Amino acid sequence: MLDNVEVTTVNGKISVIGEEEPEVTPEPEEPTQDIPDENLILSSTTTVNVANTENCFAKVTDNEKAGGNYSLHFKATGSDWLEVSQNLTEGVTAGEKYIISVAVKPVSGRVWFRIGWDDDGWVASHQTQLATDLGNGWIKLTKEVTLKADQTKLLFHNDGAAEMYIDDISLVPVDGTENLVPDGGFEEVTVSGGGTPTPTPTPDPEPTPTPTPTPTPTPDVPEEDIPDENLTLSNTTTVNVANTETCFAKVTDNEKADGRYSLHVKAGAADWLEVSQHLTEGATAGGKYLLSASVKVVSGKVWFRVGWDDTAWLVSNQTELGTDLGNGWIRLVKEVKMTADQPNFLFHNDGEAEMYVDDISLVAVGGTENLVPDGGFEDVTISDGTEPTPTPEVTPTPTPEPDEPEPTPTPDPSNVPDDYLTLSGTTIVNVDNSDTLFAKVTDDEKASGSYSLHVKAGADDWLEVAQNLTETATAGGKYILSVAVKAVSGKVWFRVGWDDTGWLVSNQTDLGTDLGNGWIRIVKEVTLTGDQTKLLFHNDGAAELYIDDLVLIPMDGTENLVPDGGFDEVTVYTPDPDDFEDYEMSNLILKKGTDVIDSLTGAGSYTVLVNVKNNKLTDGLPCELLVAVFNQNGEMENLYSDKDNFEMTALGANAEDLSVTFNIGEGYSVEAYLINNRQDIDLYTLDGENILELWTQSVE
């Protein structure tokens, strides 16, 4: 034990580390139509997870309906989770095929309809390629699904802010006729005064004719609608089978997303149809690329692949990656990371499939060249040997990520306590940090550069972080939204303002590329419905994760509109200097376990204690006990503090015992310091006026 240590000089160095059968009601007399929604009550067949409010509700209504007398009016804000469910009349079984269908009249946003929480048993309101027009704004979505697990209920929920009318939900086995959803039309209704209204026949709506667009003539081009048999693909494209009536890959001008042609592919369930092109230069192992294709699906699905790389692929039914191009076409975009060198691009059927394919693109992240030589299938000849007059091909503008910023040198040691690091004014946080609710910059975890943002919120918290964009993102504009995340728990939503379509969620791993060390990069193409001026993100219930490299880039540009997406604009906290003359220190003690010892005796856990008294100020002065641990090479490895999370606290006039527990290895050395403010202290070179070295020892 070392007693009565007197402090007379300022000396020493430092660095840092931181931390789920209703009874049928008898039919009453016929009520008057257009009953207020508030007077109509759902039967207990249907369960809603929250009580109705003005902005979040699931109400039966007779104002809108696809069939019968009623529909369900569904509305939720972006921060709500509104879930409606019905227990199926009998459970559905894993491996079996079912037809799920629903009629919707969207007002805004999207809703997911699910068979339990089965990974494959779902349909979403925005999957318009699955839709049949019912007129009067209603569409009917129909999808065949094969279940991965047994399920007992049908549910649906919002995905962000959403409002729509929902009717005629059906789940029928492929080989059956019975609808397993007990009240899919929401007809089991009572009026608040009692009784069930007598159905009033609803006339069939007049079908709304769909106008046929008038094609814009292209000068000096052969007549449109050339028979497919007269169009021949160039040898740029290789097809593994000869065309037949039921299995083919034919260039056509009947359908196209862009340019003059697309490829019409069709295969039966027993066929293997593979189409490939050699890349203009090989895709390299470890390289990141943007893979995209435009598709118009008739039936089934097709896989698009960079060679046979395990991770470099996308599938035509990944509509969550898609942007609606109109006329049944969608554009799929996905960032991929290669695990091996690959020299070609290919796509193939997955069982019975038919679709049109156009504008395939593979562009290196940070580059501009499409490596697929004829992704638009424009290299075509006509059977008489003449070549069609070329229409200038519009090369799809790749969406490069912004140039990697020059990395900010990471100090040694790099593990700076989060409380030493302060976000710049670029980033706005809606709450003050606490132990359980915070948004702190950190260098403990990062996808690139020197820092990331560590966010944590409880189930009842609302944590929102925002940055103003460098320029307004415009309505109708297409953008690439991406972010690197390392999830600990829960999920976070990333949004371009509060746009209905400009968002992605941290748990959308199907959009993700593995960056290693628990990090993934999520990429999504979005088309905005309104002008937006900021990028924001927020928790969805209890959540904790690390966030880095936020990017928002126009499809036709290269500039990242998020000013500090990497959270690298950081300052180190340093308060005003003061000296130590008003402190009296005594009883410096070293312990191993509960034993008081005189010196370090090998690897293990130790505690150092010191009593500090402020002799001058009754309201005290900030003071902190720090222990620096150095490895065998003399490099500082860790810094320990007596203050929780390295928060500065003030000492009162009475003496206070400060203590730090630390761990060391063989051959390590330790230094104990007292610090009474952090300003003017270089936490990496261990220089400054406000550090007092109390004690130093090496492991014997």
Side-chain angles (χ1 to χ4, degrees), residues 116 214 229 248 323 382 558 579 648 655 666:
T214 303
E229 290 72 16
F248 57 77
T323 302
I382 299 179
T558 58
D579 61 30
M648 296 299 291
E666 296 290 348

Side-chain angles (χ1 to χ4, degrees), residues 7 56 67 114 146-147 229 275 279 310 336 351 364-365 411 425 441 448 458 494 501 514 537 571 608 644 680:
V7 178
C56 181
R114 300 179 180 273
T146 303
L147 298 182
E229 290 72 16
V275 181
L279 300 174
D310 288 341
V336 298
V365 170
V441 69
S448 67
F494 299 86
T501 59
D514 187 2
F537 51 95
T571 57
V608 62
D644 291 340
D680 295 336

Side-chain angles (χ1 to χ4, degrees), residues 13-18 409-417 420-421 443-444 446 450-451 572 627-631 634-640 682-686:
K13 305 176 179 180
I14 192 170
S15 123
V16 192
I17 147 190
T410 303
D412 184 22
S414 61
N415 197 13
V416 180
Y420 278 73
L421 302 172
D443 64 356
D444 297 337
K446 51 253 185 183
S450 296
Y451 306 101
V572 177
V627 173
V629 174
F630 299 82
N631 61 24
E635 300 165 340
M636 184 178 295
E637 194 167 276
N638 284 327
L639 183 75
Y640 298 84
D682 189 323
L683 302 174
Y684 310 115
T685 62
L686 309 180

Side-chain angles (χ1 to χ4, degrees), residues 98-162:
Y98 297 82
I99 298 294
I100 182 173
S101 66
V102 59
V104 294
K105 182 173 182 176
V107 178
S108 62
R110 62 177 81 181
V111 167
W112 291 69
F113 300 83
R114 300 179 180 273
I115 307 169
W117 288 98
D118 199 271
D119 289 342
D120 292 339
W122 55 266
V123 70
S125 62
H126 62 282
Q127 292 183 292
T128 52
Q129 71 276 11
L130 306 178
T132 304
D133 188 4
L134 301 179
N136 197 30
W138 286 88
I139 59 173
K140 189 172 187 67
L141 302 162
T142 304
K143 184 180 178 184
E144 180 181 311
V145 298
T146 303
L147 298 182
K148 286 188 173 180
D150 294 349
Q151 302 292 345
T152 60
K153 66 180 178 178
L154 187 292
L155 63 93
F156 52 94
H157 62 81
N158 62 305
D159 186 356

Side-chain angles (χ1 to χ4, degrees), residues 327-528:
N327 197 31
W329 285 88
I330 60 171
R331 182 148 192 87
L332 303 166
V333 181
K334 184 179 179 183
E335 181 179 310
V336 298
K337 184 178 181 181
M338 309 298 301
T339 59
D341 294 348
Q342 300 291 348
N344 65 352
F345 177 89
L346 63 94
F347 56 96
H348 62 81
N349 64 306
D350 184 355
E352 184 175 358
E354 181 180 4
M355 69 191 63
Y356 297 88
V357 179
D358 204 355
D359 297 338
I360 301 170
S361 173
L362 184 70
V363 180
V365 170
T368 59
E369 181 189 356
N370 183 6
L371 304 183
V372 182
D374 185 26
F377 307 103
E378 301 294 317
D379 293 342
V380 175
T381 57
I382 299 179
S383 57
D384 63 4
T386 63
E387 291 192 6
T389 305
T391 299
E393 182 177 346
V394 179
T395 303
T397 303
T399 309
E401 290 198 7
D403 293 337
E404 281 290 330
E406 287 293 324
T408 304
T410 303
D412 184 22
S414 61
N415 197 13
V416 180
D418 296 351
D419 291 313
Y420 278 73
L421 302 172
T422 305
L423 279 164
S424 77
T426 306
T427 304
I428 302 165
V429 185
N430 72 315
V431 296
D432 294 327
N433 289 338
S434 68
D435 288 343
T436 58
L437 175 64
F438 58 76
K440 299 179 181 179
V441 69
T442 183
D443 64 356
D444 297 337
E445 294 282 352
K446 51 253 185 183
S448 67
S450 296
Y451 306 101
S452 70
L453 194 69
H454 185 189
V455 298
K456 185 176 182 180
D460 297 328
D461 297 321
W462 179 264
L463 175 61
E464 183 179 315
V465 182
Q467 291 188 23
N468 290 324
L469 301 176
T470 57
E471 63 182 55
T472 299
T474 56
K478 295 182 179 182
Y479 297 82
I480 293 293
L481 173 60
S482 68
V483 62
V485 296
K486 181 173 183 177
V488 178
S489 61
K491 62 183 175 182
V492 164
W493 290 66
F494 299 86
R495 300 180 180 274
V496 187
W498 288 98
D499 198 271
D500 288 342
T501 59
W503 54 266
L504 60 79
V505 193
S506 62
N507 64 349
Q508 291 183 290
T509 53
D510 46 348
L511 308 181
T513 303
D514 187 2
L515 303 179
N517 195 32
W519 285 89
I520 62 170
R521 183 159 195 82
I522 301 173
V523 180
K524 183 180 179 184
E525 180 182 317
V526 299
T527 303
L528 300 181

Side-chain angles (χ1 to χ4, degrees), residues 535-590:
L535 190 291
L536 63 93
F537 51 95
H538 62 80
N539 63 307
D540 184 354
E544 182 179 5
L545 56 157
Y546 297 88
I547 298 167
D548 204 355
D549 297 339
L550 277 165
V551 173
L552 183 70
I553 303 178
M555 284 292 289
D556 57 354
T558 58
E559 180 191 354
N560 183 8
L561 306 184
V562 184
D564 185 25
F567 307 102
D568 284 307
E569 297 178 8
V570 174
T571 57
V572 177
Y573 171 69
T574 51
D576 292 329
D578 218 324
D579 61 30
F580 291 91
E581 65 184 17
D582 298 316
Y583 293 102
E584 177 183 337
M585 284 154 283
S586 61
N587 299 326
L588 182 63
I589 299 172
L590 178 64

